[in-house]
Amino acid sequence: MTGPVATAVVVVAAAGCVFFTLIGAVGLFRLPDVYCRAHAATKADTLGAGFALVAVTAYFGPGIEAVKTAILLGFIYVTNPTAAHAIARAAYSREVSVWTRSEPLDKDGPIDTGTSSSEPPDGSETGGESA
């Protein structure tokens, strides 16, 4: 398929692919635990792959290539979430801890809870001497 409309579809779909794949990569590096990372990678990368295959289909036009990309798209839409579920389930069965926020946040930063970071939360002294 040639023409300005097909070119525009290819460019927009390729830009969507790059955007969502980049968001998935950022989520993979920035999120705190395996569960959040699996979620980000699955959602964003699956959508990015979908946009890439739409760009391929628009570039080659109708024909056997469109059928192959549709089959590949179906395969990706089934296997990516299944793989992320398997990873999360394996992490859960290995008792990988879930990230929890360690201190409450205010819009200006951490909230002062009244405890010093040098004191343990139970109030006992920290030192090598015993009474």
Side-chain angles (χ1 to χ4, degrees):
M1 182 186 273
T2 59
V5 174
T7 304
V9 170
V10 169
V11 168
V12 169
C17 169
V18 169
F19 174 75
F20 284 108
T21 304
L22 182 64
I23 293 297
V26 168
L28 193 61
F29 287 113
R30 297 277 304 171
L31 292 176
D33 67 354
V34 68
Y35 307 106
C36 294
R37 290 175 183 166
H39 177 76
T42 302
K43 299 293 182 186
D45 289 345
T46 302
L47 194 54
F51 274 111
L53 292 174
V54 166
V56 167
T57 303
Y59 180 78
F60 287 110
I64 192 67
E65 293 85 5
V67 174
K68 289 179 182 179
T69 56
I71 291 170
L72 186 57
L73 184 63
F75 181 73
I76 288 172
Y77 278 178
V78 170
T79 57
N80 276 2
T82 304
H85 177 75
I87 291 169
R89 190 169 182 170
Y92 182 76
S93 70
R94 299 278 237 155
E95 297 178 355
V96 174
S97 62
V98 177
W99 175 77
T100 57
R101 184 175 286 164
S102 60
E103 55 187 27
L105 293 177
D106 192 10
K107 70 178 186 175
D108 297 327
I111 297 173
D112 184 18
T113 58
T115 60
S116 171
S117 62
S118 63
E119 296 177 12
D122 63 354
S124 64
E125 293 292 323
T126 58
E129 301 175 21
S130 60

